[in-house]
Amino acid sequence: MTDGTLALDRAAQELLFTEARTANTFTDEPVTDAQVAAIYDLVKWGPTAMNTQPLRLTLVRSPQARERLVAHMNEGNKAKTAAAPLTIIVTADADFHEHLPVTFPHKPDAREVMAANPGRARMAHFNAAIQLGYLIVGIRAAGLAAGPMAGYDAEGIKKEFLADDNRQVVAVVNVGRPGPDAWFDRNPRLSYDQVVTEI
Amino acid sequence: MTDGTLALDRAAQELLFTEARTANTFTDEPVTDAQVAAIYDLVKWGPTAMNTQPLRLTLVRSPQARERLVAHMNEGNKAKTAAAPLTIIVTADADFHEHLPVTFPHKPDAREVMAANPGRARMAHFNAAIQLGYLIVGIRAAGLAAGPMAGYDAEGIKKEFLADDNRQVVAVVNVGRPGPDAWFDRNPRLSYDQVVTEI
């Protein structure tokens, strides 16, 4: 079913946005590598500036890795991070420019120019945030619930897992099937008139 | 049609990601307020940290406003910005906290705490970037092509249009039906193994 204005059918609108919710509990059902690969193969096509694609995903599933991660989460995020079948540490790779000869081939000096750009880490963070938006949509496209979190010790996570990489932690996202009482009440959204103006 | 792994049907996958492309030319067909409202009413449901929703959209359609905007675009972005039926100046509102009593009601002191937070503008920029990801998906959900651009004089645009607001320019996005020769060759994406690791 489509409505009059959007080309996307209503079932997809509901799956991705209007009925999708941030989950706070999860069932034990595993999230497979095949599911993660399908999500990535979908959302990788979302555009980034200069095709920089700085998003990197570190999967946490084993009890050992999970315990190390939970130690760096804020108190209110520990229980759900311990219980999710998959948690993704989402990072921005400030060394994205190493890939530019392949990913942005029509500008042969892009790697060299970017290597000297002091704004590179900021550019990585910004574009990885755009890709985080795609990723949350993609997790939902797989029929799974996402639980993105901002409450954690970013430096602690970096030292624990990513000490050798030139990456910043952008978000930590729980992924799985929603469990009992998975949802809080839905918070209100700003109205069109509060957000959109024309000049 | 669904494939085995994603819940989202293939037509929607193609519309939003796998066949969608960044457009560089547009037809004259107008983009209506009803279309923008339908896009916003879809993507407003995408989650942000603390439900901050800092994304703001300034619509540019009139010849007068367009001329003022084009003056601040980089050379390579002027022609397509002049030709698009709609251009959106996407901004991050660092005064998002004024809405928190309504948008985040279960934490009554959120506005006051955020008002004193020196990281507020950075938080606005980060969450607006996530919402920019949703917005690009939403423009495609309306059957339209998006042409997000990063090449412009952000301070110039701010002074020209947003001098009285506490906002940062996050992106400028052309919107419309793709015109002749709308696409460049599609640039390669990083492979799963380059992006995803498990610990």
Side-chain angles (χ1 to χ4, degrees):
Chain A
M1 184 171 68
T2 55
D3 67 20
T5 311
L6 293 180
L8 188 71
D9 66 76
R10 187 163 300 272
Q13 294 176 33
E14 292 175 355
L15 180 71
L16 303 182
F17 287 105
T18 57
E19 297 296 322
R21 300 291 309 282
T22 293
N24 293 291
T25 72
F26 298 91
T27 71
D28 290 340
E29 184 181 327
V31 178
T32 66
D33 283 343
Q35 287 174 297
V36 179
I39 293 166
Y40 178 67
D41 280 339
L42 183 71
V43 303
K44 72 182 180 185
W45 296 113
T48 52
M50 280 182 70
N51 199 30
T52 44
Q53 310 173 64
L55 183 83
R56 302 290 179 268
L57 308 178
T58 302
L59 310 184
V60 177
R61 276 189 282 218
S62 75
Q64 296 79 6
R66 186 169 301 284
E67 190 177 336
R68 289 167 61 201
L69 175 60
V70 167
H72 299 286
M73 301 303 294
N74 287 5
E75 204 54 43
N77 289 331
K78 284 182 190 290
K80 54 189 170 188
T81 304
L86 170 67
T87 303
I88 304 177
I89 303 171
V90 178
T91 56
D93 186 359
D95 287 344
F96 64 83
H97 61 295
E98 298 295 349
H99 298 285
L100 290 175
V102 171
T103 55
F104 206 62
H106 64 280
K107 192 163 183 229
D109 65 345
R111 172 164 59 182
E112 192 182 352
V113 170
M114 239 345 126
N117 188 333
R120 210 174 68 235
R122 201 179 50 207
M123 191 174 170
H125 193 263
F126 173 69
N127 281 279
I130 299 171
Q131 289 186 285
L132 173 59
Y134 304 144
L135 177 69
I136 291 169
V137 172
I139 290 167
R140 293 166 166 189
L144 298 168
M149 297 173 288
Y152 49 77
D153 171 9
E155 279 311 299
I157 293 176
K158 182 167 168 51
K159 280 182 198 156
E160 182 81 34
F161 297 111
L162 306 158
D164 296 335
D165 296 305
N166 192 9
R167 299 191 200 175
Q168 310 162 73
V169 180
V170 168
V172 178
V173 183
N174 289 322
V175 183
R177 304 270 178 204
D181 302 318
W183 326 120
F184 299 135
D185 287 343
R186 193 158 208 175
N187 282 318
R189 296 307 197 264
L190 298 176
S191 69
Y192 183 84
D193 291 341
Q194 290 175 302
V195 170
V196 183
T197 50
E198 177 150 8
I199 51 170
Chain B
M1 183 170 69
T2 54
D3 67 22
T5 311
L6 294 180
L8 188 70
D9 66 74
R10 187 164 300 271
Q13 294 175 33
E14 292 175 354
L15 180 70
L16 303 182
F17 288 104
T18 56
E19 296 296 322
R21 301 291 309 281
T22 293
N24 293 291
T25 72
F26 299 92
T27 71
D28 290 339
E29 184 181 326
V31 178
T32 65
D33 283 342
Q35 286 174 298
V36 179
I39 292 166
Y40 179 68
D41 279 340
L42 182 71
V43 303
K44 71 182 181 186
W45 296 114
T48 52
M50 283 182 68
N51 200 29
T52 43
Q53 308 173 66
L55 184 82
R56 302 290 179 269
L57 307 178
T58 302
L59 310 184
V60 176
R61 276 188 283 218
S62 74
Q64 296 78 6
R66 185 168 302 284
E67 191 177 335
R68 289 167 60 202
L69 175 60
V70 167
H72 300 285
M73 301 303 294
N74 288 3
E75 204 53 43
N77 290 329
K78 283 182 189 291
K80 54 189 169 189
T81 304
L86 170 67
T87 302
I88 305 177
I89 303 171
V90 177
T91 56
D93 185 359
D95 287 344
F96 64 81
H97 61 296
E98 299 295 349
H99 298 286
L100 291 174
V102 171
T103 55
F104 206 62
H106 65 278
K107 191 159 185 235
D109 66 343
R111 174 167 56 182
E112 194 182 350
V113 170
M114 239 345 127
N117 187 330
R120 209 175 69 236
R122 202 179 47 206
M123 191 174 169
H125 193 262
F126 172 68
N127 281 279
I130 298 171
Q131 289 185 286
L132 173 59
Y134 304 145
L135 177 69
I136 290 168
V137 172
I139 290 167
R140 293 166 167 190
L144 297 167
M149 297 173 287
Y152 48 77
D153 171 8
E155 279 311 299
I157 293 176
K158 181 167 168 51
K159 280 183 198 157
E160 182 81 34
F161 296 111
L162 306 159
D164 296 335
D165 296 304
N166 192 9
R167 300 192 199 174
Q168 309 163 73
V169 180
V170 168
V172 178
V173 183
N174 290 321
V175 183
R177 304 271 178 202
D181 301 319
W183 326 120
F184 299 136
D185 287 343
R186 192 158 208 175
N187 281 318
R189 295 307 196 265
L190 297 177
S191 70
Y192 183 82
D193 291 341
Q194 290 175 302
V195 170
V196 183
T197 52
E198 178 150 7
I199 49 167

